[in-house]
Amino acid sequence: MSNMRSLTFDAIIIGGGGSGLRAALELAKSGKKTAVLSKVFPTRSHTVSAQGGITCAIASADPNDDWRWHMYDTVKGGDYITDQDAAEYMCSEGPKAVFELEHMGLPFSRFDNGRIYQRPFGGQSKNFGEGGQAARTCAAADRTGHALLHTLYQNNLKNNTTFLNEWFAVDLVKNANGDVVGCIAMDIETGEVVHVKSKATVLATGGAGRIYASTTNALINTGDGIGMALRAGFPMQDMEMWQFHPTGIYGAGVLVTEGCRGEGGYLINKDGERFMERYAPNAKDLAGRDVVARSMVMEILEGRGCGENGDHVYLKLDHLGEEVLNKRLPGISELSKIFAHADPVKAPIPVVPTCHYMMGGVPTNVHGQAIMQDAKGKDQIINGLFACGEAACVSVHGANRLGGNSLLDLVVFGRAAGIFIESALNEGIDYLDASESDVDTAMKRITRWNESTGGESVADLKAELQGIMQNSFGVFRQEDNMQKGVGQLAELRERIANAHLADKSGAFNTARVEALELDNLMEVAEATAIAALDRKESRGAHSRYDYPDRDDVNWLKHSMYFPAEKKVGKRDVNFKPKTVDTFEPKVRTY
Amino acid sequence: MSMLQVAIYRYNPETDSAPYMQEYQVDTQGRDLMVLNVLEMLKAQDTTLAYRRSCREGVCGSDGMNMNGKNGLACITSLSEVVKGGKLTLRPLPGLPVIRDLVVDMALFYQQYERIQPYLQNDEPAPAIERLQSPEERDKLDGLYECILCACCSTACPSFWWNPDKFVGPAGLLQAYRFLADSRDTATRERLADLEDPFSVFRCRGIMNCVAVCPKGLNPTRAIGKIREMLLADAT
């Protein structure tokens, strides 16, 4: 591929959402030659859809709030496979990152005293679970993700960040030593394929909710970074952990924020009963998302679901009054009218648990450095590869993420990766160049599609994949059904390997983009399925009928999925925070 | 069967010497789908059809297009809102160069956005916590910060069609006012000075197409009026 154009950067950030833009901002300020490579114009990234807020102990709603309380909630919320050093870093550094966003111009809602507005969210407590419900989620009405993403993009413009917008990263390029030294990327507008060389490659590619038929995620959430890393042979951590958000709009999958319940809304079944009082007597509708989602499914399975088919429940908001809805939840009022034909001022919103967030991803340390394991199962840094945001598993979310912690994760660890890469570049990074055959290896996949002459269509195969995941790896799971799903996926992989890209044109060929995305969905789905089958317990979002209890003796561990062997191993959870005592695993109730 | 007649603007620069309209038929089974759903159904049959989309819920601004003559977002526009006589005609946003089919080159639009320096400027040292802002001051940003940069407004504006390089356009001006209205921004004078020429703001003729098409219900014309008032007050 000697005729291929190449571009050279100190650092390339793949993905233009919250974490990518925050990392890019740090590096742009440092003067390093950096570019953000994004398959969509950055403000079209999925961060824009985040609604309720960014959880952080800035001590605005409660002047006595403490980041350690937030850390406790995060560790408990993650059902104790949250890495405590990472949660400590996020919760203690969080206020700095949030104040920075405010200084950059993020239009947070305000309290009368002029400080940032904070609302209650699920799983939040004061005084390590002893002091009742906290209000710790900083909000810009119910458009916090929009406000955050636009603010970060604007500040990248201010700092002259280089953008490769509407470029699609195809695969990582590794040198002879196995270091990551860049990627192959396609300029979508022209179809030109370019070799991007860089000393640091950051996967900030977000989640992959589109492996499920029903998801709150944008159509672009196809796990491109996860796919690239798995194809390069790198392991994934905790891929069985998928969050089902309690309140996806029935039928459409569109999210309505947990902030609805934070502001006082609650769920009811067909009898009008506030059923969460039975499942979580203390926190009620503000229990962890996994707990609420399971309770909803139980209500539906036991015949108390709403609607003609009894297959959803209602989110009641009308008692909050028009003023609160207009002031605090204007965006969801709009979405509910459009997608549920229900005006929450007058009618409840039909909702159902919907795939929302990937807790797993590329295992990293707090600096964003990607990790694999050596032959003895010891952590080993992958040279040149970094990850942050939803694509990474650092792991602050463990087996279940708390609402509002994703936006904090993005800015704290995007920033941390940027800071680390800057200092590493200052110290000097010198990896072997990729050879022509290294580049050819990374070109294999796109070449395969470009040379395909027949086979099944991408759209049909994608729909089949999403159906398998929906049916076998949903809110509740069990051995035989998952076995079946794993088998179906293995067969599907063969068919995808022979699928057809009919349109070979160059200019803005979205068929090619969707074909490349399908490979990534396949990688994510298979990693999810095999890891889910392997974890023989119920923890956080991973609930099994056949293993209903948490098993701390065998499974107080991260799972590690190794793509070459399609095998699952384990990795120790970090229980050693630097400045606070370890939070020991306890029975998790709300 | 309830067949919808769909006509779509097609143009592939590699194979077509000129754009043309292609006719499709879609069986909606009587459902009141969103226009984006129809496009997805067509894309499954004809993979060569190109359009942008991402969030599918009206917040990312990717799928702005012209539907039966009016700009809007395909993902939150239902067939019952736009279809007339069983027909739906889809064209790219007007006034910008077409890359392929419904995909336009947004470069001019983004340049006008960047031109207004769309970021908070404050020359005072930042405090250790957030800058304080009263709820009343914050309320002034409502109706401004929600812009999703979909370009529906600017590409519906005759003044922008005529002078896309010199007239900032409704989207850019809405953001210009978003920062002028922010109690935390200290660059008001510089911002106004930068807009003080016959084209940047004053090419707005108050046609209000921007208001009519904004999928977020925002009002760029009002923001432009406020900027004009500030410019005039500044001049006296």
Side-chain angles (χ1 to χ4, degrees):
Chain A
M1 287 287 158
S2 49
N3 58 349
M4 196 182 349
R5 187 158 69 102
S6 70
L7 295 169
T8 305
F9 298 99
D10 291 325
I12 184 86
I13 292 155
I14 304 173
S19 71
L21 291 185
R22 187 62 192 81
L25 185 59
E26 207 62 40
L27 285 161
K29 285 189 209 161
S30 76
K32 302 294 175 198
K33 195 178 174 204
T34 315
V36 174
L37 188 153
S38 173
K39 67 177 176 177
V40 293
F41 181 77
T43 64
R44 325 290 182 209
S45 305
H46 186 55
T47 304
V48 83
S49 293
Q51 298 172 355
I54 175 167
T55 300
C56 186
I58 61 163
S60 167
D62 172 4
N64 299 316
D65 200 10
D66 191 318
W67 67 263
R68 293 163 193 88
W69 301 348
H70 179 199
M71 179 185 164
Y72 167 81
D73 292 343
T74 300
V75 170
K76 176 186 171 186
D79 220 348
Y80 297 96
I81 59 164
T82 297
D83 285 316
Q84 298 199 10
D85 59 338
E88 176 187 40
Y89 183 84
M90 179 177 81
C91 297
S92 61
E93 288 286 302
K96 202 186 300 173
V98 169
F99 294 140
E100 273 175 1
L101 288 170
E102 196 283 331
H103 297 155
M104 286 181 213
L106 200 157
F108 282 111
S109 301
R110 301 287 171 154
F111 283 121
D112 284 341
N113 66 3
R115 293 208 60 192
I116 292 171
Y117 174 72
Q118 291 183 295
R119 59 163 57 110
F121 246 54
Q124 292 181 356
S125 76
K126 298 182 184 186
N127 196 19
F128 308 107
E130 303 294 324
Q133 176 73 41
R136 193 175 289 130
T137 301
C138 311
D142 58 356
R143 302 189 181 96
T144 315
H146 166 97
L148 184 146
L149 186 64
H150 280 254
T151 300
L152 284 174
Y153 179 64
Q154 291 162 352
N155 278 270
N156 272 284
L157 289 178
K158 185 179 180 182
N159 287 280
N160 297 313
T161 302
T162 301
F163 283 99
L164 298 173
N165 290 335
E166 297 184 326
W167 280 55
F168 188 93
V170 178
D171 266 311
L172 296 172
V173 175
K174 292 197 292 184
N175 67 15
N177 299 330
D179 311 322
V180 174
V181 290
C183 66
I184 296 295
M186 177 177 75
D187 177 354
I188 296 172
E189 185 176 331
T190 62
E192 184 191 7
V193 177
V194 174
H195 177 198
V196 180
K197 300 176 183 176
S198 78
K199 293 171 185 159
T201 302
V202 183
L203 298 175
T205 48
R210 286 283 154 186
I211 62 169
Y212 287 92
S214 172
T215 175
T216 64
N217 284 194
L219 292 157
I220 58 170
N221 284 25
T222 50
D224 301 330
I226 308 295
M228 283 190 280
L230 283 169
R231 275 190 301 276
F234 300 128
M236 285 300 136
Q237 179 170 285
D238 295 340
M239 287 302 290
E240 67 278 23
M241 299 300 179
W242 281 85
Q243 177 165 86
F244 290 80
H245 195 290
T247 55
I249 294 179
Y250 172 70
V254 171
L255 173 73
V256 293
T257 174
E258 185 168 298
C260 293
R261 284 170 283 138
E263 296 288 348
Y266 55 85
L267 297 164
I268 53 174
N269 60 22
K270 73 167 184 188
D271 305 320
E273 183 204 6
R274 185 177 183 181
F275 58 85
M276 280 312 299
E277 289 178 336
R278 275 189 277 119
Y279 296 94
N282 297 311
K284 302 189 179 83
D285 295 82
L286 290 178
R289 285 180 178 170
D290 56 332
V291 175
V292 180
R294 274 195 294 277
S295 308
M296 292 167 72
V297 173
M298 293 304 291
E299 288 300 296
I300 291 166
L301 292 176
E302 287 170 12
R304 292 188 294 277
C306 304
E308 224 168 274
N309 302 317
D311 55 357
H312 55 276
V313 302
Y314 283 131
L315 173 63
K316 184 174 146 50
L317 296 172
D318 58 320
H319 58 286
L320 300 180
E322 196 165 357
E323 205 187 318
V324 169
L325 289 170
N326 287 341
K327 183 89 188 160
R328 300 295 183 206
L329 303 165
I332 72 103
S333 298
E334 199 181 309
L335 288 172
S336 176
K337 284 180 214 163
I338 295 169
F339 289 102
H341 306 292
D343 179 354
V345 171
K346 298 179 204 128
I349 309 173
V351 292
V352 72
T354 305
C355 167
H356 182 58
Y357 189 85
M358 176 178 79
M359 268 76 72
V362 178
T364 70
N365 60 21
V366 295
H367 307 299
Q369 292 179 284
I371 288 168
M372 57 182 184
Q373 287 180 332
D374 65 15
K376 289 177 186 154
K378 243 185 101 213
D379 281 1
Q380 192 182 337
I381 300 291
I382 301 169
N383 285 335
L385 187 66
F386 296 80
C388 52
E390 191 170 343
C393 182
V394 55
S395 156
V396 284
H397 308 307
N400 169 63
R401 174 174 71 74
L402 289 189
N405 267 356
S406 56
L407 292 184
L408 190 65
D409 171 5
L410 302 186
V411 292
V412 167
F413 291 107
R415 175 174 169 275
I419 291 169
F420 182 86
I421 292 167
E422 183 189 350
S423 69
L425 287 167
N426 286 340
E427 283 168 26
I429 295 177
D430 191 19
Y431 301 134
L432 198 65
D433 278 346
S435 68
E436 205 162 308
S437 82
D438 295 331
V439 176
D440 285 344
T441 302
M443 282 292 295
K444 258 190 200 157
R445 178 167 88 96
I446 192 166
T447 305
R448 207 291 295 164
W449 282 109
N450 287 341
E451 290 173 356
S452 69
T453 52
E456 293 182 86
S457 90
V458 168
D460 291 346
L461 291 165
K462 179 160 65 182
E464 216 169 304
L465 181 146
Q466 292 167 334
I468 296 168
M469 295 309 291
Q470 193 76 26
N471 291 329
S472 295
F473 303 94
V475 174
F476 286 106
R477 301 163 174 186
Q478 64 184 351
E479 184 84 11
D480 51 353
N481 201 19
M482 287 195 286
Q483 283 284 9
K484 187 175 135 202
V486 168
Q488 288 171 322
L489 287 172
E491 182 238 6
L492 194 67
R493 178 183 277 280
E494 293 304 309
R495 289 161 58 199
I496 289 174
N498 294 299
H500 186 212
L501 173 66
D503 181 0
K504 306 287 200 296
S505 64
F508 224 100
N509 184 344
T510 52
R512 182 178 286 116
V513 171
E514 289 184 26
L516 294 167
E517 287 173 339
L518 177 64
D519 289 328
N520 295 328
L521 289 169
M522 183 67 229
E523 296 294 343
V524 177
E526 195 164 48
T528 298
I530 293 175
L533 186 59
D534 195 71
R535 187 181 282 273
K536 292 185 173 48
E537 65 156 353
S538 289
R539 181 185 300 275
H542 180 65
S543 295
R544 294 184 59 147
Y545 284 124
D546 43 0
Y547 297 92
D549 299 319
R550 196 173 85 188
D551 174 3
D552 284 350
V553 175
N554 296 301
W555 290 101
L556 193 60
K557 298 276 180 189
H558 296 298
S559 73
M560 289 283 266
Y561 170 75
F562 299 95
E565 308 85 21
K566 297 194 181 184
K567 286 272 181 325
V568 184
K570 290 178 184 174
R571 179 167 173 251
D572 288 341
V573 173
N574 180 291
F575 286 99
K576 289 191 179 131
K578 293 192 177 71
T579 64
V580 294
D581 292 339
T582 301
F583 295 114
E584 299 294 342
K586 287 193 290 195
V587 176
R588 182 167 164 257
T589 54
Y590 284 102
Chain B
M1 298 280 272
S2 35
M3 298 308 277
L4 176 69
Q5 308 290 324
V6 188
I8 302 183
Y9 178 104
R10 301 298 311 268
Y11 175 66
N12 180 338
E14 291 165 24
T15 51
D16 303 328
S17 54
Y20 61 98
M21 298 302 291
Q22 184 167 358
E23 304 281 338
Y24 296 91
Q25 290 216 338
V26 180
D27 181 7
T28 61
Q29 299 174 326
R31 291 170 296 170
D32 187 19
L33 301 168
M34 298 297 176
V35 172
L36 179 62
N37 300 139
V38 171
L39 281 167
E40 303 264 275
M41 289 162 79
L42 289 172
K43 175 89 174 163
Q45 294 166 30
D46 178 357
T47 59
T48 66
L49 179 61
Y51 53 91
R52 293 187 176 102
R53 84 287 182 276
S54 173
C55 75
R56 62 79 172 91
E57 58 188 26
V59 298
C60 80
S62 294
D63 63 354
M65 60 185 68
N66 187 277
M67 299 169 283
N68 278 355
K70 191 177 172 186
N71 290 354
L73 299 177
C75 58
I76 54 167
T77 302
S78 61
L79 295 178
S80 60
E81 286 171 72
V82 283
V83 170
K84 292 188 190 79
K87 283 194 177 153
L88 176 64
T89 300
L90 302 178
R91 294 172 182 275
L93 289 174
L96 293 175
V98 173
I99 296 173
R100 175 172 175 168
D101 300 342
L102 300 173
V103 178
V104 291
D105 181 348
M106 306 265 284
L108 271 171
F109 174 79
Y110 294 137
Q111 275 165 28
Q112 292 297 356
Y113 173 65
E114 289 175 31
R115 216 213 95 171
I116 61 99
Q117 304 194 332
Y119 38 80
L120 192 84
Q121 297 179 53
N122 187 316
D123 48 20
E124 290 152 19
I129 60 165
E130 71 269 43
R131 289 195 164 91
L132 300 182
Q133 186 173 47
S134 72
E136 295 71 31
E137 289 168 333
R138 169 60 183 75
D139 283 350
K140 292 186 178 147
L141 307 183
D142 282 340
L144 305 172
Y145 83 95
E146 300 93 326
C147 173
I148 58 174
L149 300 177
C150 66
C152 286
C153 61
S154 292
T155 61
C157 173
S159 301
F160 189 77
W161 294 338
W162 202 246
N163 294 112
D165 53 338
K166 293 188 207 146
F167 173 51
V168 172
L173 290 171
L174 188 79
Q175 288 318 293
Y177 186 62
R178 176 249 174 277
F179 290 100
L180 287 167
D182 196 320
S183 61
R184 301 169 296 172
D185 192 277
T186 57
T188 302
R189 187 160 290 272
E190 295 78 2
R191 290 183 188 280
L192 289 176
D194 184 54
L195 294 171
E196 206 167 21
D197 61 72
F199 282 92
S200 298
V201 178
F202 289 100
R203 281 289 131 162
C204 170
R205 302 298 189 208
I207 298 164
M208 294 183 73
N209 279 2
C210 53
V211 182
V213 300
C214 176
K216 305 310 286 181
L218 309 178
N219 190 331
T221 305
R222 186 165 59 209
I224 294 168
K226 300 265 193 191
I227 297 175
R228 283 180 159 165
E229 283 170 24
M230 291 177 88
L231 282 167
L232 293 172
D234 208 40
T236 53

